[in-house]
Amino acid sequence: MASRSTQILEAAARVIARRGVRGLRVEELAEEAGVSTGLIYYHFKDRTGILRHTLEFINDRAERYTTAQGSDEEPMSSREELDQVLLLELQDTPEVRENSTAWGELRASAVFDPVLREDLARATLVWVQEVAALLGQVYPMAPAARLASAAERLTALLEGLSMRWLSGGLAIDHARALMREAVEVELIGLRQP
């Protein structure tokens, strides 16, 4: 059974995905999580604490589903790992839909919330650095600045493709194909001197 704080964070991700950050009410969150409002405040202090911890929870959950590999599977090549980390953000499962929707809602709300904006900027920077490191494993001799730029473009594109897919503007297969093409273009660019 999940801990109470995890139970609350799972509920917060669901509520944010469904109603947005502005629609997050502690009373509704308590009902969704099956806990008291006092317990929510005990674990997270205030609404900002709930949002910060939910952002961390969403990031951790995304890392789990994009990097999971069975123990009986052969190790992936660096390129396969790069593809997996990016393409598994575009899978039609309830967990990914909820995670991506909540991330988009948090990003949209950050426009008006400086604290949330800083937290999202840090989380995005970590994501970009992780993708840059994977690109660097594929092309170890590529300059760090080029790896960072390629990672920035790929992560920004992935966010945009995800939002278009989630909002019905793009079929998931087409979004995945566009992401694969973008990875190939970035890798071609990193090969050039």
Side-chain angles (χ1 to χ4, degrees):
M1 184 171 165
S3 73
R4 289 289 187 186
S5 60
T6 301
Q7 186 177 338
I8 294 166
L9 293 171
E10 288 170 345
R14 282 192 303 274
V15 171
I16 291 170
R18 204 171 44 237
R19 298 197 183 276
V21 172
R22 294 184 77 199
L24 178 67
R25 303 285 178 260
V26 175
E27 296 77 21
E28 182 182 355
L29 174 57
E31 185 178 324
E32 181 80 22
V35 300
S36 69
T37 56
L39 188 62
I40 292 173
Y41 286 119
Y42 171 79
H43 282 290
F44 305 105
K45 307 288 183 245
D46 56 19
R47 193 169 187 281
T48 300
I50 295 167
L51 294 175
R52 281 184 156 160
H53 284 88
T54 302
L55 176 62
E56 290 173 22
F57 171 79
I58 289 168
N59 283 333
D60 291 344
R61 187 163 63 172
E63 186 171 337
R64 278 193 309 277
Y65 64 68
T66 58
T67 60
Q69 184 177 0
S71 59
D72 59 340
E73 296 177 33
E74 290 198 29
M76 288 184 272
S77 70
S78 297
R79 172 61 194 270
E80 289 168 334
E81 189 177 350
L82 174 65
D83 286 344
Q84 176 176 303
V85 163
L86 294 172
L87 292 172
L88 287 181
E89 287 285 355
L90 295 169
Q91 53 181 324
D92 198 3
T93 66
E95 184 177 51
V96 173
R97 281 180 165 274
E98 180 180 282
N99 233 44
S100 296
T101 303
W103 175 267
E105 291 293 334
L106 287 162
R107 178 156 311 281
S109 291
V111 171
F112 306 104
D113 184 338
V115 173
L116 188 54
R117 187 177 318 137
E118 290 174 18
D119 291 342
L120 267 158
R122 275 191 296 277
T124 300
L125 178 61
V126 168
W127 186 29
V128 169
Q129 289 171 340
E130 289 170 357
V131 172
L134 289 170
L135 289 164
Q137 289 175 15
V138 177
Y139 287 110
M141 299 307 289
R146 287 179 55 201
L147 293 169
S149 293
E152 187 105 37
R153 286 187 294 270
L154 288 172
T155 56
L157 175 64
L158 182 53
E159 280 187 1
L161 290 172
S162 180
M163 288 301 105
R164 285 190 182 183
W165 159 58
L166 290 166
S167 65
L170 197 60
I172 192 166
D173 291 338
H174 187 57
R176 290 175 67 87
L178 291 170
M179 195 69 227
R180 279 189 195 95
E181 290 171 15
V183 169
E184 189 59 38
V185 167
E186 291 297 344
L187 290 174
I188 288 169
L190 290 173
R191 277 193 298 254
Q192 297 173 3

